[in-house]
Amino acid sequence: MIKVSETAKHRVVSLMTEGGYNAEKDYVRVGVKSGGCSGLSYDLSFDNKIEESDKIFEDNAVKIIVDKKSFLYLVGTTLEYSGGLNGKGFVFNNPNAQRTCGCGESFSL
């Protein structure tokens, strides 16, 4: 399961609306791909299609889909959003990550 903080929820809904998606019926696709300075990086996008192998979650009124391969890396993760002058944007608080890079966009197990 992936959790979504209140600040991340508001930013997701805003970005989905700007991008022509409907936050009530479309999804945030969260995934993991090879790359980044720690070996694996997070991938975040919007989608309105569900693949057969996708896992579907909903937290804080945000619908989330995760592909089967990424699911094991992301169990227990909380999606947060940090704004302001020193803000980084979306931040993944992943309890499975043993090492993360300084920017928070990549990790290793």
XYZ file of all heavy atoms in Angstrom:
832
model
N 0.836 -1.184 0.000
C 0.000 0.000 0.000
C 0.875 1.239 0.000
O 1.916 1.268 0.620
C -0.899 -0.019 1.231
C -1.677 1.212 1.441
S -3.373 0.727 1.644
C -4.164 2.242 1.870
N 0.426 2.257 -0.692
C 1.117 3.538 -0.747
C 0.209 4.590 -0.123
O -0.971 4.662 -0.440
C 1.470 3.915 -2.190
C 2.458 2.895 -2.758
C 2.042 5.321 -2.259
C 2.794 3.118 -4.198
N 0.767 5.381 0.755
C 0.012 6.447 1.425
C 0.291 7.775 0.727
O 1.350 7.957 0.119
C 0.429 6.546 2.894
C 0.210 5.283 3.678
C -0.969 5.475 4.553
C -1.171 4.225 5.402
N -2.534 3.924 5.596
N -0.644 8.701 0.855
C -0.512 10.030 0.260
C -0.781 11.063 1.346
O -1.848 11.054 1.964
C -1.513 10.222 -0.905
C -1.377 11.610 -1.500
C -1.324 9.149 -1.968
N 0.188 11.936 1.580
C 0.004 12.978 2.595
C -1.009 14.008 2.104
O -1.321 14.092 0.912
C 1.333 13.659 2.913
O 1.704 14.517 1.851
N -1.489 14.812 3.017
C -2.472 15.837 2.677
C -1.896 16.859 1.692
O -2.561 17.259 0.731
C -2.957 16.534 3.963
C -4.165 17.389 3.781
C -5.439 16.619 3.411
O -5.571 15.430 3.752
O -6.317 17.230 2.771
N -0.649 17.285 1.911
C -0.039 18.261 0.998
C 0.174 17.654 -0.392
O -0.029 18.332 -1.399
C 1.291 18.801 1.549
O 2.157 17.704 1.859
C 1.086 19.650 2.784
N 0.575 16.391 -0.448
C 0.748 15.719 -1.744
C -0.587 15.580 -2.456
O -0.674 15.763 -3.672
C 1.399 14.357 -1.561
N -1.630 15.270 -1.713
C -2.968 15.145 -2.306
C -3.365 16.434 -3.011
O -3.803 16.413 -4.161
C -3.992 14.815 -1.227
C -5.424 14.898 -1.718
C -6.410 14.892 -0.578
C -7.799 15.240 -1.064
N -8.759 15.277 0.011
N -3.224 17.565 -2.342
C -3.621 18.842 -2.931
C -2.817 19.150 -4.194
O -3.367 19.629 -5.189
C -3.492 19.976 -1.920
C -4.479 19.871 -0.797
N -5.840 19.955 -0.986
C -4.301 19.672 0.527
C -6.460 19.807 0.171
N -5.549 19.627 1.108
N -1.530 18.853 -4.160
C -0.681 19.121 -5.336
C -1.021 18.172 -6.480
O -1.069 18.587 -7.641
C 0.798 19.007 -4.945
C 1.710 19.466 -6.027
C 1.519 20.951 -6.326
N 2.412 21.342 -7.386
C 2.102 22.209 -8.340
N 0.934 22.819 -8.343
N 2.962 22.501 -9.278
N -1.275 16.907 -6.171
C -1.649 15.927 -7.198
C -2.937 16.352 -7.885
O -3.032 16.359 -9.116
C -1.798 14.504 -6.596
C -2.568 13.586 -7.520
C -0.437 13.911 -6.296
N -3.947 16.698 -7.105
C -5.237 17.110 -7.669
C -5.054 18.331 -8.567
O -5.601 18.393 -9.670
C -6.273 17.373 -6.551
C -7.519 18.039 -7.095
C -6.624 16.067 -5.850
N -4.267 19.288 -8.118
C -4.010 20.490 -8.900
C -3.319 20.156 -10.223
O -3.724 20.624 -11.290
C -3.151 21.454 -8.082
O -2.774 22.571 -8.843
N -2.277 19.335 -10.176
C -1.544 18.969 -11.388
C -2.387 18.123 -12.338
O -2.292 18.282 -13.558
C -0.256 18.222 -11.025
C 0.836 19.071 -10.396
C 1.972 18.183 -9.882
C 1.372 20.089 -11.405
N -3.200 17.237 -11.780
C -4.074 16.422 -12.631
C -5.054 17.319 -13.386
O -5.261 17.146 -14.590
C -4.827 15.383 -11.805
C -3.971 14.240 -11.331
S -4.909 13.010 -10.407
C -5.271 11.859 -11.744
N -5.633 18.270 -12.691
C -6.585 19.183 -13.314
C -5.909 19.995 -14.416
O -6.436 20.112 -15.521
C -7.208 20.120 -12.262
O -7.835 19.315 -11.255
C -8.231 21.044 -12.870
N -4.720 20.513 -14.130
C -3.960 21.277 -15.126
C -3.637 20.424 -16.354
O -3.591 20.938 -17.470
C -2.651 21.793 -14.527
C -2.808 22.913 -13.535
C -1.502 23.287 -12.866
O -0.418 22.993 -13.434
O -1.543 23.870 -11.772
N -3.386 19.126 -16.141
C -3.017 18.224 -17.228
C -4.198 17.597 -17.951
O -4.014 16.741 -18.825
N -5.422 17.990 -17.586
C -6.596 17.466 -18.265
C -7.090 16.139 -17.728
O -7.896 15.456 -18.368
N -6.629 15.752 -16.555
C -7.083 14.511 -15.918
C -8.140 14.843 -14.870
O -8.178 15.952 -14.341
C -5.913 13.781 -15.255
C -4.954 13.165 -16.244
C -3.871 13.893 -16.727
C -5.145 11.869 -16.703
C -2.993 13.337 -17.641
C -4.277 11.308 -17.611
C -3.201 12.048 -18.080
O -2.347 11.488 -18.993
N -8.950 13.867 -14.538
C -9.981 14.015 -13.528
C -9.534 13.245 -12.287
O -9.474 12.013 -12.304
C -11.303 13.455 -14.054
C -12.436 13.610 -13.066
O -12.232 13.766 -11.873
N -13.650 13.553 -13.575
N -9.235 13.949 -11.213
C -8.707 13.320 -10.000
C -9.690 12.346 -9.363
O -9.285 11.477 -8.591
C -8.299 14.385 -8.989
N -10.975 12.460 -9.698
C -11.970 11.556 -9.125
C -12.019 10.209 -9.826
O -12.464 9.225 -9.241
C -13.350 12.205 -9.147
C -13.446 13.390 -8.205
C -14.824 14.035 -8.231
O -15.763 13.433 -8.785
O -14.945 15.148 -7.692
N -11.555 10.137 -11.076
C -11.617 8.860 -11.786
C -10.296 8.413 -12.406
O -10.127 7.244 -12.709
C -12.707 8.884 -12.855
C -12.463 9.835 -13.982
C -13.569 9.732 -15.018
C -13.211 10.571 -16.240
N -14.144 10.395 -17.317
N -9.332 9.318 -12.583
C -8.035 8.947 -13.151
C -7.046 8.610 -12.033
O -7.351 8.768 -10.858
C -7.504 10.067 -14.047
C -8.373 10.255 -15.293
O -8.912 9.257 -15.805
O -8.507 11.405 -15.741
N -5.857 8.170 -12.413
C -4.916 7.590 -11.465
C -3.564 8.291 -11.478
O -3.157 8.856 -12.482
C -4.665 6.116 -11.814
C -5.912 5.290 -11.806
C -6.693 5.151 -12.947
C -6.326 4.640 -10.651
C -7.846 4.391 -12.944
C -7.477 3.872 -10.634
C -8.235 3.756 -11.785
O -9.377 3.004 -11.766
N -2.870 8.156 -10.359
C -1.458 8.494 -10.279
C -0.718 7.169 -10.421
O -0.953 6.236 -9.652
C -1.108 9.158 -8.924
C 0.389 9.385 -8.822
C -1.880 10.436 -8.738
N 0.135 7.084 -11.425
C 0.930 5.875 -11.618
C 2.284 6.088 -10.944
O 3.003 7.030 -11.265
C 1.109 5.559 -13.101
C 1.928 4.298 -13.334
C 1.973 3.898 -14.776
N 0.713 3.368 -15.250
C 0.287 2.124 -15.035
N 1.021 1.290 -14.324
N -0.876 1.723 -15.510
N 2.600 5.213 -10.008
C 3.865 5.280 -9.286
C 4.669 4.036 -9.652
O 4.151 2.926 -9.613
C 3.636 5.327 -7.754
C 4.958 5.440 -7.027
C 2.724 6.484 -7.384
N 5.916 4.240 -10.019
C 6.749 3.110 -10.413
C 8.197 3.313 -10.020
O 8.589 4.365 -9.504
N 8.981 2.295 -10.298
C 10.416 2.306 -10.046
C 11.098 1.882 -11.336
O 10.649 0.961 -12.013
C 10.782 1.323 -8.913
C 12.279 1.191 -8.762
C 10.160 1.763 -7.605
N 12.178 2.571 -11.684
C 12.937 2.199 -12.871
C 14.424 2.249 -12.548
O 14.829 2.878 -11.561
C 12.587 3.103 -14.046
C 12.867 4.561 -13.809
C 12.406 5.414 -14.980
C 12.721 6.876 -14.685
N 12.296 7.758 -15.738
N 15.214 1.588 -13.357
C 16.665 1.617 -13.174
C 17.178 3.001 -13.505
O 16.716 3.637 -14.448
C 17.346 0.597 -14.090
O 16.979 -0.695 -13.722
N 18.149 3.450 -12.709
C 18.752 4.749 -12.971
C 18.875 5.561 -11.703
O 18.565 5.106 -10.612
N 19.329 6.772 -11.871
C 19.538 7.645 -10.720
C 20.874 7.364 -10.078
O 21.516 6.348 -10.340
N 21.302 8.230 -9.199
C 22.629 8.089 -8.601
C 22.715 6.976 -7.555
O 23.803 6.583 -7.174
C 23.110 9.418 -8.031
S 21.895 10.335 -7.112
N 21.575 6.430 -7.118
C 21.613 5.332 -6.146
C 21.218 3.982 -6.760
O 21.174 2.983 -6.062
C 20.696 5.630 -4.963
O 21.205 6.694 -4.206
N 20.902 3.958 -8.042
C 20.605 2.686 -8.705
C 19.171 2.523 -9.176
O 18.912 1.947 -10.219
N 18.209 3.004 -8.405
C 16.800 2.945 -8.773
C 16.205 4.331 -8.608
O 16.584 5.066 -7.702
C 16.035 1.961 -7.874
C 16.454 0.498 -7.947
C 15.814 -0.300 -6.817
C 16.064 -0.098 -9.286
N 15.267 4.686 -9.477
C 14.629 5.990 -9.338
C 13.114 5.843 -9.398
O 12.587 4.874 -9.944
C 15.117 6.966 -10.409
O 14.797 6.504 -11.692
N 12.441 6.798 -8.820
C 10.984 6.805 -8.778
C 10.440 7.398 -10.070
O 11.042 8.295 -10.658
C 10.490 7.627 -7.588
C 10.929 7.084 -6.257
C 11.941 7.696 -5.534
C 10.328 5.944 -5.726
C 12.342 7.198 -4.306
C 10.724 5.437 -4.502
C 11.732 6.068 -3.801
O 12.133 5.573 -2.591
N 9.298 6.896 -10.485
C 8.630 7.384 -11.681
C 7.195 7.711 -11.303
O 6.492 6.876 -10.746
C 8.682 6.308 -12.764
C 8.227 6.814 -14.109
O 8.388 8.013 -14.386
O 7.713 5.998 -14.899
N 6.773 8.917 -11.566
C 5.452 9.398 -11.174
C 4.793 10.017 -12.396
O 5.375 10.881 -13.048
C 5.624 10.444 -10.070
C 4.429 10.948 -9.314
C 3.760 9.831 -8.523
C 4.848 12.056 -8.363
N 3.579 9.563 -12.734
C 2.849 10.107 -13.877
C 1.353 9.939 -13.646
O 0.930 9.315 -12.669
C 3.271 9.398 -15.167
O 2.969 8.018 -15.103
N 0.557 10.486 -14.549
C -0.888 10.323 -14.486
C -1.315 9.358 -15.576
O -0.699 9.283 -16.632
C -1.599 11.670 -14.656
C -1.175 12.685 -13.637
C -0.729 13.932 -14.024
C -1.215 12.392 -12.292
C -0.333 14.872 -13.094
C -0.830 13.316 -11.338
C -0.391 14.560 -11.746
N -2.382 8.622 -15.319
C -2.833 7.602 -16.265
C -4.333 7.414 -16.125
O -4.895 7.625 -15.049
C -2.109 6.281 -15.973
C -2.016 5.376 -17.179
O -2.835 5.508 -18.105
O -1.114 4.517 -17.189
N -4.963 7.007 -17.213
C -6.388 6.688 -17.150
C -6.650 5.253 -17.608
O -7.781 4.880 -17.843
C -7.225 7.693 -17.954
C -6.742 7.832 -19.387
O -6.017 6.994 -19.892
N -7.128 8.910 -20.029
N -5.566 4.475 -17.721
C -5.683 3.076 -18.122
C -5.034 2.188 -17.070
O -3.973 2.508 -16.544
C -4.996 2.847 -19.461
C -5.630 3.598 -20.596
C -4.869 3.361 -21.882
C -5.422 4.278 -22.949
N -4.434 5.037 -23.636
N -5.659 1.068 -16.815
C -5.126 0.098 -15.870
C -4.682 -1.128 -16.650
O -5.438 -1.661 -17.457
C -6.188 -0.306 -14.829
C -6.645 0.920 -14.049
C -5.651 -1.371 -13.888
C -7.828 0.665 -13.156
N -3.461 -1.566 -16.400
C -2.952 -2.793 -17.017
C -3.376 -3.984 -16.161
O -3.634 -3.845 -14.965
C -1.431 -2.744 -17.135
C -0.908 -1.570 -17.948
C -1.340 -1.602 -19.400
O -1.486 -2.709 -19.967
O -1.552 -0.516 -19.974
N -3.393 -5.149 -16.754
C -3.853 -6.355 -16.055
C -3.040 -6.663 -14.797
O -3.570 -7.137 -13.799
C -3.794 -7.548 -17.014
C -4.599 -8.731 -16.562
C -4.660 -9.801 -17.634
O -5.091 -9.494 -18.746
O -4.260 -10.931 -17.312
N -1.751 -6.370 -14.832
C -0.889 -6.705 -13.693
C -0.759 -5.574 -12.674
O -0.011 -5.700 -11.705
C 0.495 -7.113 -14.191
O 1.100 -6.024 -14.866
N -1.463 -4.465 -12.863
C -1.372 -3.332 -11.939
C -2.051 -3.623 -10.606
O -3.066 -4.296 -10.546
C -2.035 -2.086 -12.540
C -1.201 -1.436 -13.623
O 0.017 -1.674 -13.681
O -1.781 -0.673 -14.421
N -1.473 -3.070 -9.558
C -2.094 -3.061 -8.234
C -2.767 -1.695 -8.078
O -2.204 -0.676 -8.475
C -1.053 -3.232 -7.131
C -0.209 -4.473 -7.244
C -0.882 -5.618 -6.578
C 0.054 -6.819 -6.545
N -0.595 -8.010 -6.165
N -3.956 -1.676 -7.508
C -4.718 -0.439 -7.376
C -4.926 -0.128 -5.896
O -5.307 -0.998 -5.125
C -6.091 -0.565 -8.071
C -5.896 -0.944 -9.541
C -6.872 0.730 -7.950
C -7.166 -1.375 -10.224
N -4.662 1.123 -5.526
C -4.831 1.583 -4.154
C -5.567 2.911 -4.179
O -5.577 3.608 -5.181
C -3.482 1.831 -3.465
C -2.566 0.659 -3.479
C -1.536 0.575 -4.406
C -2.721 -0.374 -2.575
C -0.681 -0.508 -4.428
C -1.874 -1.459 -2.586
C -0.854 -1.519 -3.514
N -6.109 3.267 -3.042
C -6.643 4.617 -2.877
C -6.329 5.059 -1.459
O -6.578 4.328 -0.506
C -8.149 4.664 -3.127
C -8.683 6.079 -3.063
C -10.114 6.220 -3.558
O -10.601 5.338 -4.271
O -10.733 7.235 -3.201
N -5.741 6.239 -1.349
C -5.461 6.810 -0.041
C -5.680 8.313 -0.121
O -5.257 8.958 -1.086
C -4.020 6.513 0.396
C -3.765 6.960 1.820
O -4.447 6.444 2.727
O -2.914 7.851 2.021
N -6.355 8.836 0.867
C -6.595 10.270 0.955
C -7.259 10.789 -0.323
O -6.914 11.859 -0.829
C -5.277 11.006 1.236
C -5.493 12.295 1.983
O -6.602 12.664 2.293
N -4.402 12.981 2.268
N -8.176 10.001 -0.866
C -8.954 10.336 -2.072
C -8.100 10.425 -3.340
O -8.506 11.017 -4.325
C -9.763 11.606 -1.873
N -6.906 9.834 -3.328
C -6.055 9.769 -4.515
C -5.980 8.316 -4.955
O -5.628 7.436 -4.175
C -4.634 10.310 -4.227
C -3.719 10.117 -5.426
C -4.693 11.767 -3.821
N -6.317 8.065 -6.214
C -6.270 6.715 -6.779
C -4.865 6.469 -7.331
O -4.357 7.270 -8.109
C -7.309 6.574 -7.881
C -8.736 6.679 -7.390
C -9.684 6.645 -8.568
C -11.137 6.788 -8.263
N -11.644 6.771 -6.976
N -4.266 5.363 -6.918
C -2.876 5.059 -7.268
C -2.812 3.701 -7.950
O -3.449 2.753 -7.498
C -2.003 5.026 -5.994
C -2.087 6.360 -5.269
C -0.566 4.662 -6.324
C -1.567 6.314 -3.858
N -2.012 3.620 -9.021
C -1.736 2.328 -9.637
C -0.225 2.113 -9.644
O 0.554 3.046 -9.831
C -2.325 2.195 -11.063
C -1.985 3.381 -11.945
C -3.810 1.974 -11.014
C -2.538 3.272 -13.360
N 0.150 0.867 -9.389
C 1.558 0.480 -9.342
C 1.711 -0.797 -10.145
O 0.947 -1.747 -9.955
C 2.020 0.229 -7.885
C 3.480 -0.164 -7.836
C 1.763 1.448 -7.017
N 2.707 -0.828 -11.026
C 2.937 -2.056 -11.777
C 3.495 -3.138 -10.855
O 4.051 -2.846 -9.796
C 3.868 -1.816 -12.970
C 5.266 -1.429 -12.542
O 6.078 -2.335 -12.293
O 5.549 -0.218 -12.448
N 3.310 -4.364 -11.259
C 3.667 -5.528 -10.432
C 5.134 -5.516 -10.000
O 5.460 -5.800 -8.851
C 3.353 -6.794 -11.220
C 3.487 -8.066 -10.461
C 3.068 -9.230 -11.344
C 3.260 -10.556 -10.684
N 2.867 -11.660 -11.549
N 6.050 -5.152 -10.904
C 7.484 -5.143 -10.581
C 7.826 -4.085 -9.540
O 8.636 -4.308 -8.642
C 8.319 -4.911 -11.838
C 8.383 -6.092 -12.764
C 9.282 -5.781 -13.933
C 9.375 -6.960 -14.876
N 10.241 -6.679 -16.019
N 7.219 -2.931 -9.654
C 7.524 -1.829 -8.733
C 6.912 -2.023 -7.358
O 7.403 -1.481 -6.371
C 7.022 -0.503 -9.314
O 7.661 -0.209 -10.524
N 5.834 -2.775 -7.289
C 5.082 -2.926 -6.041
C 5.967 -3.346 -4.869
O 5.894 -2.759 -3.791
C 3.941 -3.919 -6.247
C 3.165 -4.210 -4.994
C 2.338 -3.250 -4.450
C 3.273 -5.429 -4.357
C 1.623 -3.505 -3.289
C 2.575 -5.695 -3.196
C 1.748 -4.728 -2.663
N 6.831 -4.339 -5.066
C 7.670 -4.831 -3.967
C 8.629 -3.766 -3.438
O 8.958 -3.751 -2.256
C 8.448 -6.067 -4.403
C 7.590 -7.291 -4.707
C 8.449 -8.418 -5.270
C 6.827 -7.747 -3.483
N 9.072 -2.866 -4.307
C 9.974 -1.794 -3.884
C 9.245 -0.687 -3.123
O 9.854 0.070 -2.389
C 10.649 -1.145 -5.099
C 11.561 -2.053 -5.872
C 11.211 -2.494 -7.137
C 12.789 -2.460 -5.347
C 12.056 -3.316 -7.870
C 13.636 -3.280 -6.061
C 13.267 -3.708 -7.327
O 14.096 -4.517 -8.045
N 7.927 -0.580 -3.347
C 7.190 0.582 -2.859
C 6.251 0.319 -1.689
O 5.634 1.252 -1.176
C 6.377 1.182 -4.014
C 7.207 1.746 -5.158
C 6.317 2.087 -6.344
C 7.986 2.963 -4.708
N 6.135 -0.914 -1.240
C 5.220 -1.237 -0.145
C 5.567 -0.390 1.082
O 6.714 -0.320 1.502
C 5.295 -2.737 0.213
C 4.524 -3.035 1.480
C 4.780 -3.577 -0.930
N 4.572 0.297 1.616
C 4.768 1.107 2.811
C 5.237 2.527 2.552
O 5.425 3.303 3.484
N 5.416 2.895 1.293
C 5.906 4.225 0.945
C 4.822 5.284 1.148
O 3.650 5.033 0.904
C 6.379 4.242 -0.528
O 7.492 3.356 -0.658
C 6.788 5.626 -0.981
N 5.231 6.465 1.571
C 4.333 7.604 1.673
C 4.790 8.657 0.678
O 5.964 9.037 0.656
C 4.344 8.206 3.090
O 3.916 7.206 4.016
C 3.421 9.414 3.193
N 3.863 9.111 -0.149
C 4.139 10.184 -1.097
C 3.839 11.502 -0.403
O 2.733 11.712 0.094
C 3.268 10.027 -2.349
C 3.412 11.113 -3.420
C 4.836 11.138 -3.977
C 2.409 10.877 -4.535
N 4.841 12.375 -0.351
C 4.679 13.669 0.294
C 5.042 14.760 -0.693
O 5.659 14.492 -1.722
C 5.564 13.756 1.537
C 5.273 12.626 2.499
C 5.567 12.963 3.934
O 5.588 14.149 4.277
O 5.760 12.029 4.697
N 4.668 15.968 -0.381
C 5.020 17.111 -1.224
C 5.593 18.202 -0.348
O 5.003 18.576 0.664
C 3.801 17.648 -1.985
C 4.172 18.769 -2.922
C 4.756 18.505 -4.152
C 3.975 20.101 -2.555
C 5.124 19.527 -5.007
C 4.342 21.131 -3.402
C 4.912 20.841 -4.622
O 5.287 21.851 -5.462
N 6.753 18.709 -0.739
C 7.424 19.759 0.011
C 7.560 20.974 -0.897
O 8.246 20.921 -1.912
C 8.798 19.265 0.461
O 9.500 20.283 1.115
N 6.877 22.048 -0.572
C 6.942 23.264 -1.378
C 7.745 24.329 -0.675
O 8.458 24.071 0.279
N 7.649 25.537 -1.132
C 8.353 26.655 -0.505
C 9.715 26.894 -1.121
O 10.094 26.281 -2.109
N 10.469 27.789 -0.501
C 11.769 28.174 -1.055
C 12.765 27.020 -1.100
O 13.555 26.907 -2.024
C 12.358 29.330 -0.238
C 11.598 30.650 -0.332
C 12.216 31.673 0.628
C 11.619 31.176 -1.756
N 12.757 26.173 -0.091
C 13.695 25.053 -0.052
C 13.036 23.732 -0.434
O 13.615 22.677 -0.255
C 14.314 24.917 1.349
C 15.202 26.084 1.672
O 15.861 26.624 0.799
N 15.206 26.499 2.929
N 11.807 23.788 -0.931
C 11.056 22.586 -1.247
C 11.642 21.825 -2.414
O 12.288 22.378 -3.291
N 11.425 20.520 -2.418
C 11.939 19.643 -3.457
C 10.852 19.183 -4.406
O 11.138 18.514 -5.369
C 12.544 18.385 -2.843
C 13.641 18.557 -1.878
C 14.114 17.172 -1.469
C 14.832 17.175 -0.164
N 15.218 15.840 0.251
N 9.596 19.418 -4.098
C 8.516 18.851 -4.890
C 8.050 17.563 -4.233
O 7.987 17.459 -3.008
N 7.739 16.558 -5.042
C 7.280 15.284 -4.485
C 8.441 14.523 -3.875
O 9.533 14.475 -4.426
C 6.599 14.439 -5.566
C 5.252 14.975 -5.952
C 5.077 15.679 -7.118
C 4.154 14.780 -5.114
C 3.834 16.191 -7.470
C 2.910 15.292 -5.447
C 2.753 15.998 -6.624
N 8.185 13.954 -2.705
C 9.191 13.210 -1.960
C 8.606 11.851 -1.612
O 7.458 11.755 -1.171
C 9.577 13.953 -0.656
C 10.562 13.148 0.159
C 10.119 15.332 -0.971
N 9.386 10.806 -1.814
C 8.972 9.446 -1.485
C 9.644 9.035 -0.179
O 10.866 8.949 -0.127
C 9.384 8.469 -2.587
C 8.672 8.693 -3.877
C 9.132 9.622 -4.801
C 7.536 7.968 -4.180
C 8.471 9.825 -5.997
C 6.864 8.168 -5.373
C 7.334 9.095 -6.282
N 8.854 8.812 0.853
C 9.389 8.281 2.112
C 9.197 6.779 2.070
O 8.119 6.264 2.354
C 8.687 8.906 3.315
C 9.095 10.342 3.505
O 10.244 10.705 3.251
N 8.183 11.186 3.915
N 10.267 6.089 1.689
C 10.225 4.653 1.432
C 10.971 3.899 2.532
O 12.193 3.985 2.623
C 10.853 4.369 0.065
C 10.731 2.940 -0.362
O 10.486 2.056 0.444
N 10.919 2.695 -1.635
N 10.253 3.125 3.348
C 10.907 2.392 4.434
C 11.790 1.250 3.924
O 12.605 0.721 4.680
C 9.738 1.851 5.256
C 8.627 1.719 4.282
C 8.806 2.869 3.325
N 11.654 0.870 2.665
C 12.449 -0.222 2.095
C 13.811 0.237 1.591
O 14.693 -0.575 1.371
C 11.685 -0.868 0.925
C 10.314 -1.327 1.346
O 10.170 -2.073 2.291
N 9.292 -0.848 0.659
N 13.982 1.543 1.403
C 15.231 2.079 0.870
C 16.313 2.043 1.937
O 16.136 2.557 3.032
C 15.020 3.504 0.376
N 17.429 1.421 1.593
C 18.555 1.381 2.521
C 19.464 2.582 2.336
O 20.162 2.993 3.234
C 19.345 0.093 2.335
C 18.559 -1.128 2.745
C 19.338 -2.409 2.543
O 20.466 -2.413 2.052
N 18.746 -3.519 2.906
N 19.436 3.139 1.123
C 20.264 4.301 0.825
C 19.506 5.177 -0.167
O 18.894 4.681 -1.098
C 21.590 3.860 0.215
C 22.617 4.962 0.124
C 23.924 4.477 -0.444
N 23.779 4.487 -1.912
C 24.367 3.637 -2.727
N 25.120 2.687 -2.253
N 24.196 3.718 -4.014
N 19.522 6.479 0.043
C 18.908 7.405 -0.899
C 19.930 8.465 -1.276
O 20.885 8.712 -0.535
C 17.665 8.097 -0.298
O 18.058 8.816 0.861
C 16.585 7.093 0.055
N 19.697 9.095 -2.416
C 20.608 10.162 -2.817
C 20.165 11.471 -2.164
O 19.070 11.538 -1.596
C 20.635 10.289 -4.348
S 19.081 10.849 -5.036
N 20.956 12.485 -2.284
C 20.642 13.773 -1.661
C 19.385 14.417 -2.189
O 18.685 15.112 -1.466
N 19.062 14.175 -3.463
C 17.868 14.806 -4.026
C 16.591 14.034 -3.689
O 15.491 14.542 -3.865
C 17.999 14.929 -5.546
S 18.038 13.355 -6.429
N 16.724 12.811 -3.198
C 15.555 12.022 -2.810
C 14.830 11.373 -3.964
O 13.765 10.796 -3.789
N 15.390 11.448 -5.169
C 14.734 10.900 -6.334
C 15.200 9.499 -6.692
O 14.660 8.862 -7.577
C 14.913 11.819 -7.543
C 14.189 13.143 -7.348
C 14.379 14.097 -8.509
O 14.869 13.647 -9.570
O 14.036 15.262 -8.362
N 16.251 9.026 -6.046
C 16.710 7.669 -6.313
C 17.082 6.985 -4.997
O 17.300 7.628 -3.986
C 17.881 7.656 -7.298
O 19.042 8.186 -6.721
N 17.137 5.650 -5.072
C 17.381 4.865 -3.859
C 17.979 3.522 -4.233
O 18.032 3.149 -5.401
C 16.093 4.670 -3.069
C 15.071 3.781 -3.751
C 14.911 2.468 -3.357
C 14.282 4.267 -4.783
C 13.979 1.650 -3.980
C 13.349 3.470 -5.406
C 13.195 2.156 -5.006
N 18.410 2.793 -3.233
C 18.873 1.417 -3.426
C 18.372 0.578 -2.257
O 18.037 1.087 -1.202
C 20.395 1.346 -3.524
O 20.983 1.710 -2.292
N 18.305 -0.721 -2.497
C 17.836 -1.647 -1.467
C 18.982 -2.431 -0.900
O 19.986 -2.634 -1.465
C 16.802 -2.605 -2.053
C 15.541 -1.935 -2.586
C 14.621 -2.945 -3.211
C 14.817 -1.203 -1.480
